[in-house]
Amino acid sequence: MKQYDISISREQMAGLLSEENVFGDMVREVINQVLQAQMSEHLGADKYERNDDRVGMRNGNRTRQLKTRVGTLVLTVPQTRDGSFSTDLFRKYQRNEQALVLSIMEMYVQGVSTRKVTEITEQLCGTSFSKSTVSQLCMELDMRVKAFAQRRLEVEYPVLMVDALYIKSRQADDRIISRGVFITTGINAKGYREIIGIDVMNSESTGTWVEAFNQLKARGLKGVRWVVSDAHEGLQQAIKQCFTGATWQRCQVHLMRNILGQCSTRHRAEVAAAVKLVLQAPDLVEARRRQAEFVERFAKSAPKAVACLEAGFEDAMAVMALPEKYRKRLRTTNMQERLNEEIRRRERVIRIFPNDDSALRLIGAMLAEQNEVWQERKYLDMDEFTEWATARTAACPDHDVVVRVD
């Protein structure tokens, strides 16, 4: 990621602070300086600088509006004589903003808005949108989201993390129903994270998850060795059916929630501390010993919690088969939970999507942006994981890896 030095003098700051839209003016000043820095980088020379490496000449500026949550910013975009300068700053900055604005605008255009939605529209955009403008923006954004969501998966993804969240969507007959948004994240063979699946489904069942996984396979998904998810029965069955031989890791955070839901408030704190000791054991032998202590300690005071731990222990501790360096990150779906939180933060502004396309547009645009950010830094060094998977395959040639810890 490129970095630029931005400076604001005391006089400029005093002037900005005297304006009504202080934050908006500060953002405008920063972006204008970034645009000038990009132009200098493009030409190989600063403004008024003369050197032998210069590759072009400046030719004044033009104004352009950028609609943001702090209002409409009027920016000064530099130009070259040959028109060779371009910037992707607007595209990157506006993608998520545009998706959010479009979802709200659709509510307004389709007659399902409220006075509050209108106020939010003005705050976000500083202007109103006609139906034709909304339609044009929708088509442009839909194409980008579709290209991202349906792109060919060219490499192997040894690790998958899958989860679902629920949104409210208005249907053609004006009913408001709950819809499941299935999100699949893959960690590829080089150790980079990618969001590879986004699907809006009627419900979270074996059939719908199988459909989502089969679509991923049709796009080229291969090499799956490890799948992390919660213990939803339909999801479990779909993983077993679609990724035969891959190890299923039950999310330890979800298991903890399940266990705490099975004990009284009075015992919840001590049960949580004891379960944490079990899950954080250094090896499987020690984990079993701590599990036995947990059973003996809470057999009478929290029998349902004990039963829940016993039922989920083996799948939650599957991660102990991995080299130690991978256990912390591959034992939970915390990465997916953070994505869900970001989606929820935006979804709370809208509350009810006017249709499924609007939901896919907003969520898809946000995830596409996050996917770009993830490509800037490797998440895992996969060398030892590959060695582990190869050894497991050699030990059990009929499957990719062993399904359960011995």
Side-chain angles (χ1 to χ4, degrees), residues 357-388:
D357 288 340
S358 176
L360 185 59
R361 183 178 305 123
L362 172 62
I363 296 171
M366 190 276 285
L367 293 179
E369 191 76 16
Q370 181 60 59
N371 192 72
E372 286 186 11
V373 173
W374 279 352
Q375 305 319 301
E376 297 172 1
R377 186 173 63 179
K378 183 181 292 188
Y379 187 65
L380 289 174
D381 179 349
M382 297 295 285
D383 291 344
E384 289 184 38
F385 187 96
T386 302
E387 293 174 3
W388 170 82

PDB file of all heavy atoms in Angstrom, residues 357-388:
ATOM      1  N   ASP A 357     -31.432  -8.852  -4.248  1.00  0.00           N
ATOM      2  CA  ASP A 357     -30.360  -8.272  -5.064  1.00  0.00           C
ATOM      3  C   ASP A 357     -29.672  -7.130  -4.326  1.00  0.00           C
ATOM      4  O   ASP A 357     -28.449  -6.968  -4.401  1.00  0.00           O
ATOM      5  CB  ASP A 357     -30.920  -7.771  -6.400  1.00  0.00           C
ATOM      6  CG  ASP A 357     -31.304  -8.913  -7.331  1.00  0.00           C
ATOM      7  OD1 ASP A 357     -30.805 -10.034  -7.114  1.00  0.00           O
ATOM      8  OD2 ASP A 357     -32.104  -8.684  -8.256  1.00  0.00           O
ATOM      9  N   SER A 358     -30.464  -6.335  -3.623  1.00  0.00           N
ATOM     10  CA  SER A 358     -29.899  -5.223  -2.862  1.00  0.00           C
ATOM     11  C   SER A 358     -28.977  -5.732  -1.770  1.00  0.00           C
ATOM     12  O   SER A 358     -27.901  -5.179  -1.531  1.00  0.00           O
ATOM     13  CB  SER A 358     -31.026  -4.386  -2.256  1.00  0.00           C
ATOM     14  OG  SER A 358     -30.511  -3.357  -1.437  1.00  0.00           O
ATOM     15  N   ALA A 359     -29.386  -6.815  -1.099  1.00  0.00           N
ATOM     16  CA  ALA A 359     -28.550  -7.399  -0.041  1.00  0.00           C
ATOM     17  C   ALA A 359     -27.237  -7.924  -0.608  1.00  0.00           C
ATOM     18  O   ALA A 359     -26.159  -7.674  -0.056  1.00  0.00           O
ATOM     19  CB  ALA A 359     -29.317  -8.521   0.652  1.00  0.00           C
ATOM     20  N   LEU A 360     -27.335  -8.641  -1.732  1.00  0.00           N
ATOM     21  CA  LEU A 360     -26.125  -9.188  -2.344  1.00  0.00           C
ATOM     22  C   LEU A 360     -25.213  -8.065  -2.839  1.00  0.00           C
ATOM     23  O   LEU A 360     -23.989  -8.160  -2.752  1.00  0.00           O
ATOM     24  CB  LEU A 360     -26.507 -10.107  -3.506  1.00  0.00           C
ATOM     25  CG  LEU A 360     -25.361 -10.855  -4.191  1.00  0.00           C
ATOM     26  CD1 LEU A 360     -24.626 -11.740  -3.189  1.00  0.00           C
ATOM     27  CD2 LEU A 360     -25.878 -11.691  -5.355  1.00  0.00           C
ATOM     28  N   ARG A 361     -25.798  -6.974  -3.303  1.00  0.00           N
ATOM     29  CA  ARG A 361     -25.024  -5.847  -3.800  1.00  0.00           C
ATOM     30  C   ARG A 361     -24.202  -5.216  -2.675  1.00  0.00           C
ATOM     31  O   ARG A 361     -22.999  -4.999  -2.807  1.00  0.00           O
ATOM     32  CB  ARG A 361     -25.962  -4.818  -4.414  1.00  0.00           C
ATOM     33  CG  ARG A 361     -25.276  -3.613  -5.031  1.00  0.00           C
ATOM     34  CD  ARG A 361     -26.302  -2.695  -5.658  1.00  0.00           C
ATOM     35  NE  ARG A 361     -27.116  -3.415  -6.623  1.00  0.00           N
ATOM     36  CZ  ARG A 361     -28.444  -3.502  -6.569  1.00  0.00           C
ATOM     37  NH1 ARG A 361     -29.103  -2.917  -5.593  1.00  0.00           N
ATOM     38  NH2 ARG A 361     -29.108  -4.175  -7.480  1.00  0.00           N
ATOM     39  N   LEU A 362     -24.850  -4.924  -1.554  1.00  0.00           N
ATOM     40  CA  LEU A 362     -24.152  -4.279  -0.448  1.00  0.00           C
ATOM     41  C   LEU A 362     -23.103  -5.195   0.160  1.00  0.00           C
ATOM     42  O   LEU A 362     -21.938  -4.828   0.330  1.00  0.00           O
ATOM     43  CB  LEU A 362     -25.155  -3.866   0.626  1.00  0.00           C
ATOM     44  CG  LEU A 362     -24.545  -3.357   1.932  1.00  0.00           C
ATOM     45  CD1 LEU A 362     -23.731  -2.098   1.695  1.00  0.00           C
ATOM     46  CD2 LEU A 362     -25.600  -3.110   2.978  1.00  0.00           C
ATOM     47  N   ILE A 363     -23.516  -6.425   0.488  1.00  0.00           N
ATOM     48  CA  ILE A 363     -22.598  -7.362   1.144  1.00  0.00           C
ATOM     49  C   ILE A 363     -21.468  -7.751   0.202  1.00  0.00           C
ATOM     50  O   ILE A 363     -20.297  -7.832   0.595  1.00  0.00           O
ATOM     51  CB  ILE A 363     -23.375  -8.599   1.633  1.00  0.00           C
ATOM     52  CG1 ILE A 363     -24.383  -8.180   2.705  1.00  0.00           C
ATOM     53  CG2 ILE A 363     -22.414  -9.652   2.193  1.00  0.00           C
ATOM     54  CD1 ILE A 363     -25.360  -9.274   3.100  1.00  0.00           C
ATOM     55  N   GLY A 364     -21.795  -7.993  -1.062  1.00  0.00           N
ATOM     56  CA  GLY A 364     -20.771  -8.358  -2.034  1.00  0.00           C
ATOM     57  C   GLY A 364     -19.742  -7.267  -2.237  1.00  0.00           C
ATOM     58  O   GLY A 364     -18.538  -7.540  -2.332  1.00  0.00           O
ATOM     59  N   ALA A 365     -20.179  -6.008  -2.297  1.00  0.00           N
ATOM     60  CA  ALA A 365     -19.247  -4.900  -2.477  1.00  0.00           C
ATOM     61  C   ALA A 365     -18.324  -4.760  -1.276  1.00  0.00           C
ATOM     62  O   ALA A 365     -17.117  -4.533  -1.423  1.00  0.00           O
ATOM     63  CB  ALA A 365     -20.018  -3.598  -2.703  1.00  0.00           C
ATOM     64  N   MET A 366     -18.890  -4.905  -0.074  1.00  0.00           N
ATOM     65  CA  MET A 366     -18.075  -4.797   1.129  1.00  0.00           C
ATOM     66  C   MET A 366     -17.050  -5.920   1.208  1.00  0.00           C
ATOM     67  O   MET A 366     -15.880  -5.706   1.529  1.00  0.00           O
ATOM     68  CB  MET A 366     -18.975  -4.834   2.371  1.00  0.00           C
ATOM     69  CG  MET A 366     -18.264  -4.482   3.682  1.00  0.00           C
ATOM     70  SD  MET A 366     -17.407  -5.872   4.446  1.00  0.00           S
ATOM     71  CE  MET A 366     -18.785  -6.780   5.119  1.00  0.00           C
ATOM     72  N   LEU A 367     -17.463  -7.145   0.867  1.00  0.00           N
ATOM     73  CA  LEU A 367     -16.550  -8.288   0.923  1.00  0.00           C
ATOM     74  C   LEU A 367     -15.486  -8.199  -0.169  1.00  0.00           C
ATOM     75  O   LEU A 367     -14.345  -8.620   0.046  1.00  0.00           O
ATOM     76  CB  LEU A 367     -17.336  -9.595   0.807  1.00  0.00           C
ATOM     77  CG  LEU A 367     -18.271  -9.908   1.987  1.00  0.00           C
ATOM     78  CD1 LEU A 367     -19.014 -11.221   1.752  1.00  0.00           C
ATOM     79  CD2 LEU A 367     -17.509  -9.967   3.300  1.00  0.00           C
ATOM     80  N   ALA A 368     -15.845  -7.674  -1.320  1.00  0.00           N
ATOM     81  CA  ALA A 368     -14.844  -7.500  -2.381  1.00  0.00           C
ATOM     82  C   ALA A 368     -13.759  -6.536  -1.930  1.00  0.00           C
ATOM     83  O   ALA A 368     -12.570  -6.741  -2.200  1.00  0.00           O
ATOM     84  CB  ALA A 368     -15.520  -6.984  -3.659  1.00  0.00           C
ATOM     85  N   GLU A 369     -14.158  -5.486  -1.231  1.00  0.00           N
ATOM     86  CA  GLU A 369     -13.187  -4.526  -0.713  1.00  0.00           C
ATOM     87  C   GLU A 369     -12.287  -5.179   0.334  1.00  0.00           C
ATOM     88  O   GLU A 369     -11.064  -4.990   0.346  1.00  0.00           O
ATOM     89  CB  GLU A 369     -13.923  -3.333  -0.101  1.00  0.00           C
ATOM     90  CG  GLU A 369     -13.033  -2.166   0.239  1.00  0.00           C
ATOM     91  CD  GLU A 369     -12.618  -1.373  -0.990  1.00  0.00           C
ATOM     92  OE1 GLU A 369     -13.243  -1.528  -2.066  1.00  0.00           O
ATOM     93  OE2 GLU A 369     -11.649  -0.618  -0.872  1.00  0.00           O
ATOM     94  N   GLN A 370     -12.894  -5.974   1.226  1.00  0.00           N
ATOM     95  CA  GLN A 370     -12.108  -6.660   2.253  1.00  0.00           C
ATOM     96  C   GLN A 370     -11.147  -7.659   1.620  1.00  0.00           C
ATOM     97  O   GLN A 370     -10.007  -7.824   2.069  1.00  0.00           O
ATOM     98  CB  GLN A 370     -13.042  -7.389   3.226  1.00  0.00           C
ATOM     99  CG  GLN A 370     -12.337  -8.111   4.361  1.00  0.00           C
ATOM    100  CD  GLN A 370     -11.528  -7.176   5.230  1.00  0.00           C
ATOM    101  OE1 GLN A 370     -12.068  -6.245   5.804  1.00  0.00           O
ATOM    102  NE2 GLN A 370     -10.238  -7.396   5.334  1.00  0.00           N
ATOM    103  N   ASN A 371     -11.588  -8.315   0.565  1.00  0.00           N
ATOM    104  CA  ASN A 371     -10.743  -9.285  -0.124  1.00  0.00           C
ATOM    105  C   ASN A 371      -9.491  -8.607  -0.675  1.00  0.00           C
ATOM    106  O   ASN A 371      -8.394  -9.180  -0.630  1.00  0.00           O
ATOM    107  CB  ASN A 371     -11.531  -9.945  -1.256  1.00  0.00           C
ATOM    108  CG  ASN A 371     -10.832 -11.156  -1.824  1.00  0.00           C
ATOM    109  OD1 ASN A 371     -10.763 -12.209  -1.201  1.00  0.00           O
ATOM    110  ND2 ASN A 371     -10.289 -11.015  -3.026  1.00  0.00           N
ATOM    111  N   GLU A 372      -9.622  -7.389  -1.202  1.00  0.00           N
ATOM    112  CA  GLU A 372      -8.470  -6.659  -1.699  1.00  0.00           C
ATOM    113  C   GLU A 372      -7.483  -6.348  -0.575  1.00  0.00           C
ATOM    114  O   GLU A 372      -6.274  -6.469  -0.746  1.00  0.00           O
ATOM    115  CB  GLU A 372      -8.926  -5.362  -2.370  1.00  0.00           C
ATOM    116  CG  GLU A 372      -9.573  -5.555  -3.727  1.00  0.00           C
ATOM    117  CD  GLU A 372      -9.863  -4.232  -4.408  1.00  0.00           C
ATOM    118  OE1 GLU A 372      -9.370  -3.192  -3.913  1.00  0.00           O
ATOM    119  OE2 GLU A 372     -10.578  -4.232  -5.419  1.00  0.00           O
ATOM    120  N   VAL A 373      -8.010  -5.951   0.568  1.00  0.00           N
ATOM    121  CA  VAL A 373      -7.155  -5.641   1.716  1.00  0.00           C
ATOM    122  C   VAL A 373      -6.366  -6.874   2.134  1.00  0.00           C
ATOM    123  O   VAL A 373      -5.167  -6.796   2.449  1.00  0.00           O
ATOM    124  CB  VAL A 373      -7.996  -5.111   2.895  1.00  0.00           C
ATOM    125  CG1 VAL A 373      -7.130  -4.947   4.148  1.00  0.00           C
ATOM    126  CG2 VAL A 373      -8.646  -3.784   2.532  1.00  0.00           C
ATOM    127  N   TRP A 374      -7.006  -8.025   2.135  1.00  0.00           N
ATOM    128  CA  TRP A 374      -6.350  -9.263   2.561  1.00  0.00           C
ATOM    129  C   TRP A 374      -5.173  -9.638   1.675  1.00  0.00           C
ATOM    130  O   TRP A 374      -4.251 -10.324   2.130  1.00  0.00           O
ATOM    131  CB  TRP A 374      -7.368 -10.397   2.580  1.00  0.00           C
ATOM    132  CG  TRP A 374      -8.211 -10.417   3.830  1.00  0.00           C
ATOM    133  CD1 TRP A 374      -8.043  -9.652   4.940  1.00  0.00           C
ATOM    134  CD2 TRP A 374      -9.341 -11.258   4.095  1.00  0.00           C
ATOM    135  NE1 TRP A 374      -8.998  -9.960   5.882  1.00  0.00           N
ATOM    136  CE2 TRP A 374      -9.805 -10.942   5.390  1.00  0.00           C
ATOM    137  CE3 TRP A 374      -9.995 -12.240   3.359  1.00  0.00           C
ATOM    138  CZ2 TRP A 374     -10.900 -11.584   5.965  1.00  0.00           C
ATOM    139  CZ3 TRP A 374     -11.089 -12.878   3.928  1.00  0.00           C
ATOM    140  CH2 TRP A 374     -11.538 -12.543   5.221  1.00  0.00           C
ATOM    141  N   GLN A 375      -5.186  -9.222   0.415  1.00  0.00           N
ATOM    142  CA  GLN A 375      -4.102  -9.610  -0.495  1.00  0.00           C
ATOM    143  C   GLN A 375      -2.799  -8.876  -0.207  1.00  0.00           C
ATOM    144  O   GLN A 375      -1.758  -9.190  -0.775  1.00  0.00           O
ATOM    145  CB  GLN A 375      -4.526  -9.381  -1.950  1.00  0.00           C
ATOM    146  CG  GLN A 375      -5.815 -10.074  -2.348  1.00  0.00           C
ATOM    147  CD  GLN A 375      -5.937 -11.485  -1.800  1.00  0.00           C
ATOM    148  OE1 GLN A 375      -5.097 -12.341  -2.066  1.00  0.00           O
ATOM    149  NE2 GLN A 375      -6.979 -11.745  -0.999  1.00  0.00           N
ATOM    150  N   GLU A 376      -2.855  -7.903   0.683  1.00  0.00           N
ATOM    151  CA  GLU A 376      -1.661  -7.127   0.998  1.00  0.00           C
ATOM    152  C   GLU A 376      -0.745  -7.829   1.991  1.00  0.00           C
ATOM    153  O   GLU A 376       0.414  -7.454   2.134  1.00  0.00           O
ATOM    154  CB  GLU A 376      -2.070  -5.756   1.558  1.00  0.00           C
ATOM    155  CG  GLU A 376      -2.840  -4.912   0.558  1.00  0.00           C
ATOM    156  CD  GLU A 376      -3.410  -3.657   1.184  1.00  0.00           C
ATOM    157  OE1 GLU A 376      -3.171  -3.452   2.403  1.00  0.00           O
ATOM    158  OE2 GLU A 376      -4.081  -2.890   0.476  1.00  0.00           O
ATOM    159  N   ARG A 377      -1.264  -8.840   2.691  1.00  0.00           N
ATOM    160  CA  ARG A 377      -0.442  -9.502   3.709  1.00  0.00           C
ATOM    161  C   ARG A 377      -0.806 -10.986   3.810  1.00  0.00           C
ATOM    162  O   ARG A 377      -1.978 -11.341   3.840  1.00  0.00           O
ATOM    163  CB  ARG A 377      -0.646  -8.831   5.071  1.00  0.00           C
ATOM    164  CG  ARG A 377       0.277  -9.369   6.149  1.00  0.00           C
ATOM    165  CD  ARG A 377       0.150  -8.556   7.432  1.00  0.00           C
ATOM    166  NE  ARG A 377      -1.185  -8.649   7.999  1.00  0.00           N
ATOM    167  CZ  ARG A 377      -1.550  -8.058   9.127  1.00  0.00           C
ATOM    168  NH1 ARG A 377      -0.688  -7.310   9.786  1.00  0.00           N
ATOM    169  NH2 ARG A 377      -2.778  -8.175   9.580  1.00  0.00           N
ATOM    170  N   LYS A 378       0.218 -11.818   3.862  1.00  0.00           N
ATOM    171  CA  LYS A 378       0.004 -13.258   4.012  1.00  0.00           C
ATOM    172  C   LYS A 378      -0.543 -13.547   5.412  1.00  0.00           C
ATOM    173  O   LYS A 378      -0.097 -12.959   6.400  1.00  0.00           O
ATOM    174  CB  LYS A 378       1.322 -14.004   3.789  1.00  0.00           C
ATOM    175  CG  LYS A 378       1.193 -15.520   3.844  1.00  0.00           C
ATOM    176  CD  LYS A 378       2.533 -16.206   3.631  1.00  0.00           C
ATOM    177  CE  LYS A 378       3.043 -16.012   2.222  1.00  0.00           C
ATOM    178  NZ  LYS A 378       4.246 -16.842   1.955  1.00  0.00           N
ATOM    179  N   TYR A 379      -1.501 -14.463   5.488  1.00  0.00           N
ATOM    180  CA  TYR A 379      -2.145 -14.798   6.766  1.00  0.00           C
ATOM    181  C   TYR A 379      -1.438 -15.948   7.475  1.00  0.00           C
ATOM    182  O   TYR A 379      -1.275 -15.939   8.689  1.00  0.00           O
ATOM    183  CB  TYR A 379      -3.608 -15.160   6.507  1.00  0.00           C
ATOM    184  CG  TYR A 379      -4.443 -15.366   7.744  1.00  0.00           C
ATOM    185  CD1 TYR A 379      -4.698 -14.319   8.628  1.00  0.00           C
ATOM    186  CD2 TYR A 379      -5.006 -16.614   8.029  1.00  0.00           C
ATOM    187  CE1 TYR A 379      -5.484 -14.504   9.761  1.00  0.00           C
ATOM    188  CE2 TYR A 379      -5.786 -16.803   9.153  1.00  0.00           C
ATOM    189  CZ  TYR A 379      -6.026 -15.746  10.017  1.00  0.00           C
ATOM    190  OH  TYR A 379      -6.808 -15.935  11.135  1.00  0.00           O
ATOM    191  N   LEU A 380      -1.021 -16.969   6.711  1.00  0.00           N
ATOM    192  CA  LEU A 380      -0.351 -18.136   7.276  1.00  0.00           C
ATOM    193  C   LEU A 380       0.808 -18.572   6.388  1.00  0.00           C
ATOM    194  O   LEU A 380       0.735 -18.463   5.161  1.00  0.00           O
ATOM    195  CB  LEU A 380      -1.322 -19.321   7.412  1.00  0.00           C
ATOM    196  CG  LEU A 380      -2.420 -19.260   8.470  1.00  0.00           C
ATOM    197  CD1 LEU A 380      -3.348 -20.458   8.316  1.00  0.00           C
ATOM    198  CD2 LEU A 380      -1.851 -19.205   9.868  1.00  0.00           C
ATOM    199  N   ASP A 381       1.848 -19.068   7.015  1.00  0.00           N
ATOM    200  CA  ASP A 381       2.910 -19.758   6.275  1.00  0.00           C
ATOM    201  C   ASP A 381       2.465 -21.208   6.147  1.00  0.00           C
ATOM    202  O   ASP A 381       2.361 -21.930   7.134  1.00  0.00           O
ATOM    203  CB  ASP A 381       4.220 -19.657   7.060  1.00  0.00           C
ATOM    204  CG  ASP A 381       5.376 -20.373   6.357  1.00  0.00           C
ATOM    205  OD1 ASP A 381       5.113 -21.109   5.383  1.00  0.00           O
ATOM    206  OD2 ASP A 381       6.523 -20.199   6.787  1.00  0.00           O
ATOM    207  N   MET A 382       2.180 -21.649   4.928  1.00  0.00           N
ATOM    208  CA  MET A 382       1.542 -22.946   4.716  1.00  0.00           C
ATOM    209  C   MET A 382       2.524 -24.100   4.536  1.00  0.00           C
ATOM    210  O   MET A 382       2.089 -25.233   4.279  1.00  0.00           O
ATOM    211  CB  MET A 382       0.614 -22.857   3.498  1.00  0.00           C
ATOM    212  CG  MET A 382      -0.540 -21.886   3.668  1.00  0.00           C
ATOM    213  SD  MET A 382      -1.699 -22.401   4.957  1.00  0.00           S
ATOM    214  CE  MET A 382      -2.556 -23.742   4.115  1.00  0.00           C
ATOM    215  N   ASP A 383       3.817 -23.878   4.650  1.00  0.00           N
ATOM    216  CA  ASP A 383       4.791 -24.936   4.383  1.00  0.00           C
ATOM    217  C   ASP A 383       4.563 -26.157   5.279  1.00  0.00           C
ATOM    218  O   ASP A 383       4.480 -27.295   4.800  1.00  0.00           O
ATOM    219  CB  ASP A 383       6.215 -24.417   4.560  1.00  0.00           C
ATOM    220  CG  ASP A 383       6.603 -23.418   3.482  1.00  0.00           C
ATOM    221  OD1 ASP A 383       5.891 -23.372   2.456  1.00  0.00           O
ATOM    222  OD2 ASP A 383       7.583 -22.695   3.663  1.00  0.00           O
ATOM    223  N   GLU A 384       4.484 -25.946   6.590  1.00  0.00           N
ATOM    224  CA  GLU A 384       4.296 -27.068   7.512  1.00  0.00           C
ATOM    225  C   GLU A 384       2.921 -27.702   7.349  1.00  0.00           C
ATOM    226  O   GLU A 384       2.756 -28.913   7.525  1.00  0.00           O
ATOM    227  CB  GLU A 384       4.496 -26.605   8.958  1.00  0.00           C
ATOM    228  CG  GLU A 384       5.939 -26.280   9.303  1.00  0.00           C
ATOM    229  CD  GLU A 384       6.102 -25.924  10.767  1.00  0.00           C
ATOM    230  OE1 GLU A 384       5.421 -26.566  11.611  1.00  0.00           O
ATOM    231  OE2 GLU A 384       6.881 -25.010  11.089  1.00  0.00           O
ATOM    232  N   PHE A 385       1.924 -26.891   7.017  1.00  0.00           N
ATOM    233  CA  PHE A 385       0.590 -27.440   6.775  1.00  0.00           C
ATOM    234  C   PHE A 385       0.623 -28.389   5.580  1.00  0.00           C
ATOM    235  O   PHE A 385       0.031 -29.476   5.613  1.00  0.00           O
ATOM    236  CB  PHE A 385      -0.420 -26.317   6.530  1.00  0.00           C
ATOM    237  CG  PHE A 385      -1.848 -26.794   6.435  1.00  0.00           C
ATOM    238  CD1 PHE A 385      -2.683 -26.755   7.540  1.00  0.00           C
ATOM    239  CD2 PHE A 385      -2.356 -27.292   5.240  1.00  0.00           C
ATOM    240  CE1 PHE A 385      -3.991 -27.198   7.460  1.00  0.00           C
ATOM    241  CE2 PHE A 385      -3.662 -27.737   5.141  1.00  0.00           C
ATOM    242  CZ  PHE A 385      -4.490 -27.694   6.257  1.00  0.00           C
ATOM    243  N   THR A 386       1.311 -27.985   4.527  1.00  0.00           N
ATOM    244  CA  THR A 386       1.417 -28.834   3.333  1.00  0.00           C
ATOM    245  C   THR A 386       2.131 -30.144   3.663  1.00  0.00           C
ATOM    246  O   THR A 386       1.715 -31.222   3.208  1.00  0.00           O
ATOM    247  CB  THR A 386       2.164 -28.085   2.216  1.00  0.00           C
ATOM    248  OG1 THR A 386       1.469 -26.873   1.914  1.00  0.00           O
ATOM    249  CG2 THR A 386       2.260 -28.940   0.967  1.00  0.00           C
ATOM    250  N   GLU A 387       3.192 -30.059   4.444  1.00  0.00           N
ATOM    251  CA  GLU A 387       3.906 -31.267   4.864  1.00  0.00           C
ATOM    252  C   GLU A 387       2.999 -32.174   5.682  1.00  0.00           C
ATOM    253  O   GLU A 387       2.999 -33.398   5.504  1.00  0.00           O
ATOM    254  CB  GLU A 387       5.143 -30.888   5.681  1.00  0.00           C
ATOM    255  CG  GLU A 387       6.221 -30.173   4.871  1.00  0.00           C
ATOM    256  CD  GLU A 387       7.366 -29.695   5.742  1.00  0.00           C
ATOM    257  OE1 GLU A 387       7.332 -29.979   6.969  1.00  0.00           O
ATOM    258  OE2 GLU A 387       8.298 -29.039   5.220  1.00  0.00           O
ATOM    259  N   TRP A 388       2.240 -31.564   6.588  1.00  0.00           N
ATOM    260  CA  TRP A 388       1.304 -32.347   7.413  1.00  0.00           C
ATOM    261  C   TRP A 388       0.261 -33.049   6.549  1.00  0.00           C
ATOM    262  O   TRP A 388      -0.002 -34.237   6.721  1.00  0.00           O
ATOM    263  CB  TRP A 388       0.617 -31.410   8.409  1.00  0.00           C
ATOM    264  CG  TRP A 388      -0.535 -32.036   9.145  1.00  0.00           C
ATOM    265  CD1 TRP A 388      -0.473 -32.828  10.247  1.00  0.00           C
ATOM    266  CD2 TRP A 388      -1.921 -31.932   8.810  1.00  0.00           C
ATOM    267  NE1 TRP A 388      -1.742 -33.227  10.624  1.00  0.00           N
ATOM    268  CE2 TRP A 388      -2.643 -32.682   9.753  1.00  0.00           C
ATOM    269  CE3 TRP A 388      -2.622 -31.266   7.793  1.00  0.00           C
ATOM    270  CZ2 TRP A 388      -4.033 -32.799   9.725  1.00  0.00           C
ATOM    271  CZ3 TRP A 388      -4.004 -31.379   7.756  1.00  0.00           C
ATOM    272  CH2 TRP A 388      -4.691 -32.132   8.713  1.00  0.00           C
TER     273      TRP A 388
END
